[in-house]
Amino acid sequence: MSAQSEDFDAFYTATHKRMVATVYAMTGDLVEAEDAVQEAYVRAWQRWDRLTRDDGDPLPWVRTVAMRLAISTWRRTRGRLLAHFRHGPDADVPELSADRVALLNALRELNPDQRQVVILHHLLDLPVEQVARETGASNGAVRTRLSRARKALGERLAEPTVFTTEGVVQHG
């Protein structure tokens, strides 16, 4: 096994689980998160020499690619949430706590830019400056998105959620 392969394997082993958790928080769909993360690592392997030579740390690149892939997929499949409420979860999927469901629903209601900065800053504990670099936004824009997202999440999480017979989520 080459040194390049060993370096990539060590990187993958050290970062894969947290990357899936991060993208899952972004999408609320574990299968989509796993697919996006896997594709991001494939793309990283194809560019491994350049990523480690030019950028040094390949993690921000992989995270950005995985999130962009997940957002793209998420935008195309928003209707799955309604189907989930109509037909219920798959039989082999463990139930999520009410708090986790409420948080995932509230995150889904944020616009993608707000959701991304919340996950990068609060879930991954990245400083505002690094979030700005990874998202291509200014520090001020990141702070604004965080502020607006926190306000929206606070309002949404404070409201009781009602599930109608049609499976539509309404806030009371």
Side-chain angles (χ1 to χ4, degrees):
M1 183 179 276
S2 71
Q4 178 182 353
S5 294
E6 289 176 12
D7 289 346
F8 182 82
D9 288 348
F11 168 73
Y12 178 88
T13 301
T15 60
H16 179 262
K17 286 183 182 179
R18 183 149 181 153
M19 187 69 64
V20 170
T22 300
V23 177
Y24 172 65
M26 186 79 176
T27 64
D29 185 314
L30 183 58
V31 173
E32 286 181 21
E34 290 171 336
D35 288 348
V37 168
Q38 192 63 34
E39 178 63 22
Y41 279 105
V42 167
R43 292 180 185 187
W45 170 249
Q46 294 167 342
R47 298 163 177 80
W48 190 247
D49 284 339
R50 186 178 59 83
L51 287 174
T52 55
R53 181 184 62 242
D54 296 343
D55 300 332
D57 181 9
L59 186 60
W61 186 91
V62 172
R63 184 172 34 244
T64 299
V65 169
M67 287 186 148
R68 286 181 180 163
L69 289 167
I71 289 169
S72 177
T73 300
W74 181 79
R75 286 178 178 159
R76 289 189 310 263
T77 60
R78 283 184 234 180
R80 289 183 187 172
L81 181 60
L82 287 175
H84 171 77
F85 287 118
R86 277 191 206 115
H87 304 292
D90 294 337
D92 61 344
V93 176
E95 288 292 320
L96 297 175
S97 71
D99 289 344
R100 181 170 274 174
V101 170
L103 178 59
L104 288 173
N105 284 335
L107 282 169
R108 278 189 196 109
E109 292 178 22
L110 295 176
N111 73 48
D113 290 336
Q114 289 175 343
R115 187 176 331 112
Q116 185 178 24
V117 298
V118 166
I119 290 167
L120 291 172
H121 185 68
H122 291 293
L123 182 66
L124 296 180
D125 295 324
L126 298 180
V128 168
E129 295 75 21
Q130 187 170 351
V131 173
R133 280 193 304 275
E134 288 192 28
T135 61
S138 68
N139 291 350
V142 169
R143 286 186 183 96
T144 299
R145 290 174 189 167
L146 284 169
S147 175
R148 290 178 180 163
R150 286 183 199 121
K151 182 178 182 209
L153 286 172
E155 291 169 357
R156 289 178 179 124
L157 292 173
E159 297 172 351
T161 301
V162 177
F163 298 96
T164 68
T165 56
E166 292 81 30
V168 177
V169 178
Q170 296 178 340
H171 295 288

